[in-house]
Amino acid sequence: MVATQPELNHKIQVVLVWGNNPPVNLTLLKSLPNLKAIVNGGVGVDHLEIALINSFGVKVSNTPNVVDNSTADMAMGLMLTSGRRIIQGDRFSRDHKDGEDLDESLLGTDISGGTLGIVGMGRIGYKVAKRAAAFDMKILYHNRNRRPEEEERSVRATYCPMLADLLGTSDFIVVAVNLTKQSTHLIGREQLSAMKPSATLINISRGMVVDQEALVEALQNKWIRSAALDVTYPEPLPRDHPLLSLPDVIVLPHMGTHTLETSGHMVQRMLTNALAAMAGETPPDEVTV
């Protein structure tokens, strides 16, 4: 509507952003004189220039909490799929020759009893820990701030003040931080080389949190066993990207919240924020710089 019917632009008070569309830039902001809010579907707002948007008197909101369970489920799904080599087993069932038996290349690794390192124990990271506790995993976590002791006890988690303390002992490492300037390439060559050769890296945060060139190097040189990624940069990856040719890598097109239920909850929350802004109120999920 903004692009094709500019005569209606003065009527638009809220723009709903889904999957980074429409792009919110200076041109759009200048074209909507009565805009009150940009409402983003999802938690991450790294694609929005909040300071620029606010400079037009426009508020920004997202949809926290409603995505936590589906994203945590995805982390566990990636862990199980990678650790138990489920995709490779499916391929064998479809492509094997008559009489061919399973070989040691399809041997997986136990999830139960393993050590899980969580990088970023916010709402989603904590939900991952709750799920992993049911698998009797030893849980380590690194966070800017330590969680209350009662929360640590409830999932039997141990706080690691330094990221390095977690990397060298974890069998599975789940990255669940927000993308900021500080977290860009948080997992790079140094961190990957510090991991166990049998470790699996799982990224459910944002692609730019992991240095993908360093990850390719780590996998090719067997610094780590495997990687399972719900997020990359760009999304989706080009078909010729080297990550897609490596045998022990799972790459998804950012599907962490891609369920019917979660999508419905997100839309409902977006509408709640939009209606609040249109009524001159502060959106309940306002995001500030």
Side-chain angles (χ1 to χ4, degrees):
M1 179 183 292
V2 174
T4 60
Q5 295 180 285
E7 68 276 8
L8 299 178
N9 284 5
H10 69 283
K11 294 186 176 182
I12 296 175
Q13 298 181 52
V14 175
V15 171
L16 305 181
V17 178
W18 188 270
N20 300 354
N21 289 305
V24 179
N25 50 34
L26 187 60
T27 300
L28 182 138
L29 293 168
K30 286 183 175 180
S31 70
L32 304 177
N34 295 313
L35 186 64
K36 294 181 177 179
I38 300 293
V39 177
N40 185 67
V43 177
V45 291
D46 48 275
H47 56 293
L48 299 175
E49 295 186 56
I50 297 176
L52 173 65
I53 296 169
N54 290 165
S55 72
F56 281 80
V58 177
K59 297 182 183 299
V60 176
S61 70
N62 62 354
T63 57
N65 303 314
V66 297
V67 304
D68 298 353
N69 281 320
S70 59
T71 308
D73 288 348
M74 178 61 76
M76 293 304 297
L78 288 171
M79 191 185 312
L80 288 162
T81 302
S82 178
R84 295 304 308 271
R85 301 180 69 80
I86 291 173
I87 290 177
Q88 292 89 335
D90 177 78
R91 288 172 180 163
F92 175 85
S93 294
R94 297 173 188 275
D95 301 334
H96 74 282
K97 298 176 182 178
D98 289 343
E100 183 180 3
D101 294 324
L102 286 173
D103 58 36
E104 291 186 0
S105 68
L106 289 179
L107 280 174
T109 185
D110 284 338
I111 310 301
S112 298
T115 299
L116 170 64
I118 300 175
V119 182
M121 185 103 107
R123 294 186 312 272
I124 293 172
Y126 191 71
K127 295 263 186 169
V128 174
K130 291 177 69 174
R131 287 156 172 74
F135 283 78
D136 295 320
M137 300 189 81
K138 177 182 178 181
I139 299 170
L140 310 175
Y141 77 98
H142 172 72
N143 213 33
R144 287 179 299 176
N145 302 302
R146 184 171 181 174
R147 296 192 73 106
E149 290 186 11
E150 60 269 22
E151 293 183 357
E152 291 181 345
R153 286 195 298 270
S154 71
V155 294
R156 301 186 301 278
T158 300
Y159 178 59
C160 296
M162 303 298 293
L163 178 58
D165 297 336
L166 174 152
L167 297 175
T169 54
S170 298
D171 300 307
F172 300 91
I173 296 171
V174 171
V175 183
V177 300
N178 293 325
L179 178 61
T180 64
K181 290 181 180 179
Q182 292 72 30
S183 66
T184 298
H185 286 185
L186 176 67
I187 305 298
R189 194 174 192 274
E190 178 183 351
Q191 291 73 33
L192 290 161
S193 62
M195 296 178 192
K196 296 167 61 173
S198 57
T200 296
L201 177 70
I202 299 166
N203 189 9
I204 56 168
S205 56
R206 285 292 185 270
M208 287 291 292
V209 173
V210 175
D211 182 340
Q212 287 181 175
E213 291 186 8
L215 179 58
V216 170
E217 181 183 10
L219 290 161
Q220 289 176 338
N221 291 295
K222 302 190 183 303
W223 298 347
I224 63 174
R225 184 181 71 91
S226 59
L229 313 172
D230 182 44
V231 288
T232 57
Y233 60 95
E235 292 173 348
L237 285 177
R239 293 285 298 275
D240 60 352
H241 195 282
L243 277 173
L244 299 177
S245 65
L246 296 172
D248 290 312
V249 178
I250 298 171
V251 182
L252 300 182
H254 202 159
M255 297 173 61
T257 62
H258 206 62
T259 70
L260 288 172
E261 296 84 357
T262 296
S263 295
H265 294 322
M266 288 168 65
V267 170
Q268 290 175 357
R269 196 65 189 173
M270 291 173 75
L271 293 176
T272 297
N273 282 281
L275 291 172
M278 293 172 67
E281 302 169 0
T282 298
D285 302 311
E286 183 181 11
V287 180
T288 56
V289 178

